Amino acid sequence: MKAQSSSTRNNWDGDFSLLIEQLSSRAKQPSPRLGESPKEALYQENKLSLFHYKPHPVKQKSTPILIVYALVNRPDIADLEPKRSLVQRLLEQGYPVYLIDWGYPDSTDCQTSLNDYINGYLHRCVQHVKRDTKVKKIDLLGICQGGVFSLCYSALHLEDIRKLITLVTPVDFHSADNLLSKWTSETNMKRIFNASGNIPSHTITQLFKTLKPYQLNREKYRQLSNLVKSPNQLNTFLRMEQWLNNGPDLAGKAAIEFAECFYQENGFIKHGLRIGGKSVSLKNISCPVLNVYATQDHIVPPSSSKALRKQLKKNLYHEQQLESGHIGAFTSLKTQKVLISAIQEWLD
Amino acid sequence: MAKKTSNTPEDLIAQFQKAIDSSIPAEYKQVLQDFKKQGSFYTQLLQNIKTDGEPLESFWSLPETLGFTQPSTHSGDVFNSLFDVNHYTQNSTTKLTEQFSEKLGDFTQKSQLNFSNFQQALSKMSALHNDLNQRASERFNDLREKAEDNSDDSLCKLWLQAGEESFKETSQQKDYIDTQRTLFESLGELKGAQKTFTDQYSHLLGLPQQKAIDELKSGLHALRLEFAEYREQTAVLIEKITPAKTAPKKTVKRAAKKPSKKASKG
C-alpha cells in the first residue's frame, strides 16, 4: 500500500481500514453461514443427504418441489441467506420444499457415473419425496447442471414428474457464445483427468474464474465502499466467498462423462445421449417445462438454454427471462421476485 | 458503524498486520489478504497510468490475475494446478526438469515426448499471454483517448473493459484453444507418468498398487449401490404393507424456528 495523493486511493485506504475494524470486531461472533433455513435430513445415502425444509405457517400446496443443484459447488447457494433464499421464497408460497445435497465426494466415489447420479441417487430421492408427501408425481426444479440431470430424469422417468423447472440450464452446449464448450470440445478428458481420481474443486473454481478473469479476480475487490457501509452487504459478501471457496471435488467418472456427453457430443441436440444404456431424448418428456434463463449469464449463455424450446413438444414449453447473471438469477433481490412470481403462476 | 479514520500507509499496514496476527477466523484473514492484494494492484495500476511512458501490459497478465503470483514449489506438488502457468514458466528450465526427474526417476521415451510437448505448449502459451497483454494495453489507450471522464474509477473500468474484451478475442482463437489443450493434456500425461512411477515404487516396497486400490474402490462402489437398492426395495415393501394414514394437514400452524436435531450439515 504505497502512499498516493489520489483522493480515490485515500477513500479506498479508509474503507480498507474500516473493513479491518469491522472484521476484527467480529472475532468472537460466529461467521455468517449459508443454508441456515430449518430442515431435516429425510434420507441419507453415502455422502448424499435429501433435506426437507420446515414449512411456513401458510396454506400448503399439494405437490412438493425437489431442488436438484449441480455437482459443481454447494447447493447452499439456494439458501444463501434469509433475504436471498430461493428456498425461503418457495416456502413462503406454501410449497413443500426438498433439496438434494450431493455432499463431498472422496476418492472412494471416483467411479460414480452419470447413471449412478441420475438413475440412482436422484431416482431414490424422488421416490422418498413421493412417499413422504404421498403423491404420485412431484415437481422438479433443476439448477444449472442439476437442470441437465432433471431433464434426463424427466425423459427417462415420465411417471414421476408433474412439472419441471429448469433454471440457468445449458441445453445446446455448442452455441456460438459458449466459451467453456470451445475450450473443451476437442480435449481428451481422459488424458487430463484420470478416472481413478476425482477432479479437485480448486481446478473447477479456477476454470470458472478464468471465463471472465479480470472481472472475477480483481474487480469485485475494488467495490469495497459498498461493503463497509452496510453490515448486510458485508455478510452477503462473506457468505458468497465461503460458498466460492468450499466447493466439492467432482467424482472423476461422472465429470469426464458429463464433459464428453454434453460439452463434446452435445447429447441433447445431437440425439445420441445414452444414460445407463438407455437412450435419452428430450422429445420423450411428457410434463410441462418452465425454462428460466438469465440474460447476462456467462456460464450458461441464454442461447444455450433457450435451445430447449426446439427439443420439446410445443405445448409443453414455457420460458421466462431474467435480467441477471448466472447466480443472481436466484439470489438477487430484484430477480427473485420475478422468478418466484413466474414459478408460482406457472405451477399453480 | 465506525467512522473513517485517517490513516497513513504505515498505520494501515500496521492495522492490517495486527488483524492478521489476531485470532479472527481464518476466512476473515483471507478476505483481508485478498483485498490488500487487489488494493496494491489498483494503486500500482493507477500510478503507472498517470505516469507517462510507464508500461501497462503487465497489468493484464493472466497468470497474475488468476492469483498465481507465488511459485508453488512449497506445496511439493509440481502438478498443483492446471492453470498455474506462471509457476511452470518460472520453473520451465532446469528446476522443473529436476523436479520431474526426482519424481519419475529415469524418463521413459513417452514421458520425454510429453515433457517436450508440454514445454513447447508452455512457451507458446506465454507468447499468447504476451500478445493478450499487448492487445489489452492498446485497447486501453484507445478507450482512454475517447473517454471524457478521467477519474480513477473510470480508468479502472476502462482497464477492466480492455482486459475482458481482449481476453474474449484471444481465448476464442483456435491457436489459443489448441495450445491450452496441448498444455493441459501433456500435463495430465505427465501426472499419469508420475502416478505410474509411484505405483511401481509402491510395488517394490510391498504396498498396494493402484490396480488393487481401484478394484477395492469398484467393489465398495458396487456394494454401496447394492445396499442402496436394497434399502429402496425395503422402503417400497414397507409402504405397501403399512395401512394408509390420513392425509397430511394442509396448513402448518407454526413455523419452526430452529433446525431439527436430525438435520445434518447443509
Side-chain angles (χ1 to χ4, degrees):
Chain A
M1 281 163 281
K2 294 177 183 176
Q4 189 177 290
S5 58
S6 156
S7 61
T8 305
R9 186 66 230 155
N10 287 340
N11 284 341
W12 196 92
D13 283 357
D15 288 337
F16 187 52
S17 173
L18 268 182
L19 179 69
I20 298 172
E21 273 180 31
Q22 288 176 12
L23 291 183
S24 299
S25 70
R26 292 170 172 220
K28 288 179 184 170
Q29 298 166 22
S31 342
R33 294 282 160 209
L34 296 88
E36 292 277 81
S37 294
K39 59 186 181 290
E40 63 179 25
L42 174 68
Y43 173 66
Q44 287 179 309
E45 177 187 336
N46 193 9
K47 317 291 188 298
L48 173 147
S49 297
L50 169 63
F51 287 112
H52 176 214
Y53 286 88
K54 293 280 182 192
H56 280 215
V58 294
K59 189 177 180 204
Q60 295 295 290
K61 315 265 185 194
S62 52
T63 310
I65 295 179
L66 173 59
I67 299 176
V68 185
Y69 195 71
L71 302 177
V72 178
N73 288 122
R74 302 272 304 137
D76 304 351
I77 192 72
D79 186 27
L80 176 62
E81 59 189 16
K83 278 190 177 175
R84 295 171 184 272
S85 166
L86 173 62
V87 167
Q88 283 294 325
R89 298 297 85 74
L90 292 169
L91 291 171
E92 284 163 4
Q93 303 303 321
Y95 294 106
V97 179
Y98 295 78
L99 176 140
I100 299 176
D101 178 347
W102 304 107
Y104 288 88
D106 64 25
S107 65
T108 66
D109 298 302
C110 66
Q111 293 178 23
T112 308
S113 64
L114 281 187
N115 181 43
D116 295 329
Y117 275 112
I118 295 166
N119 291 317
Y121 287 132
L122 176 53
H123 181 61
R124 286 187 285 277
C125 285
V126 169
Q127 304 316 308
H128 274 275
V129 175
K130 279 167 62 179
R131 281 195 290 272
D132 196 49
T133 51
K134 305 194 186 317
V135 295
K136 288 185 175 167
K137 291 188 175 196
I138 68 166
D139 295 336
L140 273 188
L141 195 168
I143 304 175
C144 190
Q145 187 189 34
V148 175
F149 285 10
S150 301
L151 282 167
C152 292
Y153 189 85
S154 301
L156 290 167
H157 302 271
L158 311 179
E159 71 285 0
D160 285 335
I161 308 303
R162 186 185 75 108
K163 288 186 172 184
L164 166 64
I165 301 161
T166 49
L167 181 53
V168 291
T169 295
V171 173
D172 182 356
F173 285 74
H174 289 181
S175 61
D177 44 0
N178 195 330
L179 185 56
L180 263 182
S181 164
K182 284 182 180 160
W183 282 359
T184 53
S185 63
E186 290 180 31
T187 302
N188 185 340
M189 292 297 160
K190 290 188 181 90
R191 285 179 74 182
I192 302 181
F193 301 112
N194 189 327
S196 68
N198 291 334
I199 298 178
S201 64
H202 70 85
T203 298
I204 301 298
T205 304
Q206 281 165 1
L207 174 67
F208 284 111
K209 279 184 172 178
T210 308
L211 293 176
K212 277 179 116 175
Y214 308 103
Q215 174 82 45
L216 299 175
N217 292 280
R218 301 250 191 235
E219 177 67 5
K220 70 173 179 179
Y221 296 103
R222 201 170 65 83
Q223 313 295 342
L224 182 52
S225 61
N226 294 336
L227 295 185
V228 290
K229 276 181 202 155
S230 155
N232 285 342
Q233 286 205 33
L234 180 56
N235 283 340
T236 305
F237 179 85
L238 292 171
R239 287 189 177 100
M240 285 299 292
E241 286 296 287
Q242 201 185 109
W243 178 71
L244 287 167
N245 295 321
N246 283 322
D249 293 348
L250 297 181
K253 188 173 182 180
I256 290 173
E257 283 180 348
F258 191 83
E260 289 176 345
C261 292
F262 294 103
Y263 280 104
Q264 297 186 339
E265 293 163 17
N266 205 12
F268 281 150
I269 305 297
K270 300 269 172 73
H271 304 294
L273 179 62
R274 294 183 75 81
I275 306 278
K278 286 183 184 169
S279 171
V280 181
S281 169
L282 297 181
K283 295 271 184 236
N284 288 344
I285 291 180
S286 59
C287 66
V289 179
L290 173 64
N291 186 32
V292 187
Y293 65 92
T295 52
Q296 291 134 51
D297 193 335
H298 72 286
I299 295 174
V300 179
S303 57
S304 171
S305 194
K306 286 164 76 177
L308 182 57
R309 177 189 290 275
K310 285 188 180 171
Q311 304 304 314
L312 297 177
K313 291 168 196 139
K314 260 187 183 175
N315 59 330
L316 296 179
Y317 184 79
H318 299 78
E319 194 175 272
Q320 176 67 48
Q321 173 182 300
L322 297 175
E323 300 296 333
S324 70
H326 190 68
I327 298 302
F330 53 99
T331 59
S332 137
L333 299 177
K334 200 174 158 191
T335 50
Q336 246 192 13
K337 286 180 190 162
V338 183
L339 174 64
I340 291 302
S341 155
I343 289 177
Q344 191 186 8
E345 196 176 305
W346 184 74
L347 282 181
D348 292 352
Chain B
M1 185 71 59
K3 284 183 182 175
K4 280 184 192 181
T5 49
S6 57
N7 282 298
T8 64
E10 291 72 25
D11 287 342
L12 194 54
I13 289 170
Q15 189 190 6
F16 168 79
Q17 201 52 52
K18 192 178 166 194
I20 294 299
D21 295 339
S22 74
S23 60
I24 62 171
E27 61 189 271
Y28 291 173
K29 291 181 185 177
Q30 187 59 54
V31 165
L32 291 176
Q33 278 165 339
D34 288 341
F35 271 104
K36 178 178 175 282
K37 195 170 103 186
Q38 302 305 335
S40 301
F41 170 82
Y42 281 108
T43 303
Q44 198 60 54
L45 170 69
L46 290 168
Q47 277 181 348
N48 276 35
I49 289 173
K50 290 171 183 173
T51 311
D52 286 340
E54 281 292 327
L56 295 176
E57 288 84 353
S58 64
F59 290 98
W60 288 278
S61 159
L62 210 50
E64 300 267 341
T65 303
L66 293 171
F68 302 124
T69 50
Q70 300 295 322
S72 47
T73 42
H74 64 274
S75 71
D77 181 3
V78 292
F79 307 107
N80 187 36
S81 169
L82 285 175
F83 297 90
D84 196 352
V85 174
N86 203 37
H87 163 66
Y88 300 121
T89 309
Q90 284 167 351
N91 294 283
S92 64
T93 50
T94 52
K95 207 172 167 189
L96 194 59
T97 317
E98 281 166 19
Q99 289 182 51
F100 281 123
S101 299
E102 280 170 21
K103 300 266 180 191
L104 298 175
D106 55 337
F107 276 95
T108 62
Q109 205 174 350
K110 199 179 167 199
S111 293
Q112 282 182 7
L113 181 66
N114 284 333
F115 190 69
S116 162
N117 289 342
F118 172 72
Q119 279 186 312
Q120 280 174 27
L122 190 61
S123 157
K124 209 168 174 185
M125 186 53 96
S126 294
L128 285 163
H129 282 168
N130 289 338
D131 181 52
L132 166 67
N133 300 347
Q134 185 66 38
R135 195 186 288 224
S137 176
E138 286 167 12
R139 192 181 292 258
F140 174 78
N141 288 331
D142 286 349
L143 288 168
R144 197 182 169 196
E145 271 177 29
K146 290 174 197 159
E148 289 175 5
D149 181 0
N150 245 340
S151 66
D152 288 355
D153 186 52
S154 169
L155 290 171
C156 289
K157 282 179 180 162
L158 295 182
W159 166 83
L160 177 66
Q161 185 185 344
E164 290 297 351
E165 287 178 359
S166 304
F167 176 73
K168 198 172 178 184
E169 283 172 9
T170 302
S171 63
Q172 301 201 19
Q173 284 173 2
K174 190 175 182 312
D175 208 18
Y176 184 91
I177 293 169
D178 288 348
T179 306
Q180 182 169 259
R181 187 182 63 240
T182 310
L183 192 64
F184 290 172
E185 284 182 357
S186 49
L187 190 59
E189 299 227 322
L190 282 169
K191 193 172 182 175
Q194 182 193 31
K195 227 175 174 180
T196 305
F197 172 74
T198 312
D199 198 36
Q200 286 168 358
Y201 200 63
S202 299
H203 181 58
L204 287 175
L205 293 174
L207 296 168
Q209 284 191 278
Q210 190 60 44
K211 189 169 174 285
I213 295 170
D214 286 347
E215 279 173 9
L216 275 174
K217 284 181 187 174
S218 287
L220 180 60
H221 180 66
L223 272 175
R224 278 176 176 156
L225 292 182
E226 215 172 293
F227 183 60
E229 282 299 326
Y230 169 75
R231 280 176 69 195
E232 175 60 23
Q233 285 166 17
T234 310
V236 171
L237 195 64
I238 289 172
E239 194 193 30
K240 272 185 188 168
I241 59 173
T242 307
K245 288 178 187 169
T246 51
K249 286 177 186 174
K250 289 285 180 188
T251 305
V252 177
K253 284 184 181 168
R254 197 162 49 86
K257 290 191 176 172
K258 286 180 183 174
S260 153
K261 281 180 187 173
K262 282 184 190 173
S264 55
K265 188 188 169 197

